[in-house]
Amino acid sequence: MDKIKIILINQGNKQYAVFRVNPQFAGEAYRAGYHDLPRDKERVEVQPGSVEKIIAALKEKIVAASAAIERHEEFMRSPEEIRELNVAGHRVTIEFSPSTHFLWKVRVFIPTALKNALNSPTLLGTIWDAWQDEEDGRFSLFDITKDKEEYFGRVQKEMERVAAELRKLQEWRAQPPQHYDLPGNVLVTISPHPQWALYYEAEVIVHKALIEKAKECGLKLGNVTWWSKDDHHMALTYPLRDSEAIATFIDNIRSEVEETLSTEIVAQYSV
């Protein structure tokens, strides 16, 4: 296969060397990172006695390009590599495979359970919508890198952060519930929220008669949505961000309960 042809042409009183570059050779050289070949149909003016110099220079470039192509072909024969990380009991897999331009294709696989456990809209700087939902209980992210060791180090650092976050969430979810007994046999229980990370959930249980009285009298306690806990009790749940929000919620419920208890129906008319 001719890699490059040189065609000498005369135009007027000038002579030119026109390069016809084999596109396959040019493409392989480009993918191998060699960019010093002449462009196809490029031409240079020939001075007296310069043809030999042009040919010699071109041969040097062909030799250099061929060496780059050989190195690139050897790189492309590099075996695929699979590395694993244990992230708080979850197995994260990183797969590297050679690609053109001496780059590495990367696929990072994380278990769906790990994604669901995280309190974060992104991972590895990438929003979840850019991750692919596999059918084997995993999510995957495709990427390209020049330096696989640098990339793996970045994944390791990110997974160390993730593991610390998961430990923090596990400790937070392990908190025992807090119970508050309010007037009127009203019970308030504060527990870690079952779905919202680092949020609390308040459950209030009240005698049904107290809620019916609050609704009948148009009081604040009856203005929220209650659901039936059992035949004699009503309940509501409410998300709370932190201890300050808990304290405010308890004070408000206490005030509304006391308002309802202190309200007396003295007469009722139907018109």
Side-chain angles (χ1 to χ4, degrees), residues 30-218:
Y30 180 80
R31 288 188 292 273
Y34 189 84
H35 308 298
D36 202 25
L37 290 177
R39 298 185 303 275
D40 187 41
K41 299 180 183 179
E42 181 181 348
R43 69 181 191 175
V44 296
E45 186 176 348
V46 176
Q47 302 297 331
S50 65
V51 173
E52 292 75 11
K53 292 181 180 179
I54 292 173
I55 293 174
L58 195 57
K59 285 182 176 179
E60 290 181 0
K61 292 181 178 182
I62 290 174
V63 169
S66 299
I69 291 171
E70 186 176 344
R71 291 194 300 271
H72 187 255
E73 290 175 346
E74 182 179 357
F75 172 79
M76 291 298 293
R77 290 192 291 270
S78 300
E80 296 185 359
E81 184 177 355
I82 298 176
R83 304 185 188 184
E84 294 183 350
L85 295 171
N86 187 314
V87 183
H90 299 278
R91 185 172 66 180
V92 173
T93 305
I94 306 96
E95 297 182 356
F96 294 98
S97 58
S99 183
T100 56
H101 304 283
F102 292 99
L103 297 174
W104 291 93
K105 290 186 290 189
V106 188
R107 291 193 74 185
V108 180
F109 294 88
I110 68 164
T112 301
L114 175 58
K115 172 187 177 296
N116 294 339
L118 289 174
N119 181 37
S120 174
T122 65
L123 185 64
L124 291 171
T126 305
I127 60 173
W128 289 115
D129 286 347
W131 288 70
Q132 182 174 343
D133 188 356
E134 305 288 342
E135 296 183 354
D136 60 356
R138 299 187 297 175
F139 275 76
S140 69
L141 176 68
F142 176 80
D143 209 345
I144 292 287
T145 185
K146 179 71 174 176
D147 187 339
K148 67 178 180 180
E149 296 303 330
E150 185 276 335
Y151 193 96
F152 183 70
R154 183 157 59 89
V155 174
Q156 278 185 309
K157 185 175 181 180
E158 176 80 344
M159 292 307 157
E160 288 171 0
R161 180 194 66 78
V162 166
E165 178 182 330
L166 291 179
R167 285 193 295 270
K168 180 180 178 181
L169 288 173
Q170 290 169 354
E171 292 172 1
W172 176 82
R173 289 193 174 102
Q175 295 178 84
Q178 308 170 44
H179 300 288
Y180 297 86
D181 293 316
L182 303 185
N185 292 321
V186 174
L187 175 63
V188 180
T189 301
I190 307 295
S191 306
H193 199 286
Q195 283 86 36
W196 298 6
L198 302 181
Y199 269 75
Y200 294 92
E201 182 179 74
E203 182 185 46
V204 184
I205 300 176
V206 183
H207 279 283
K208 186 177 292 187
L210 193 64
I211 300 303
E212 292 173 349
K213 178 183 178 182
K215 290 181 178 180
E216 186 78 14
C217 298

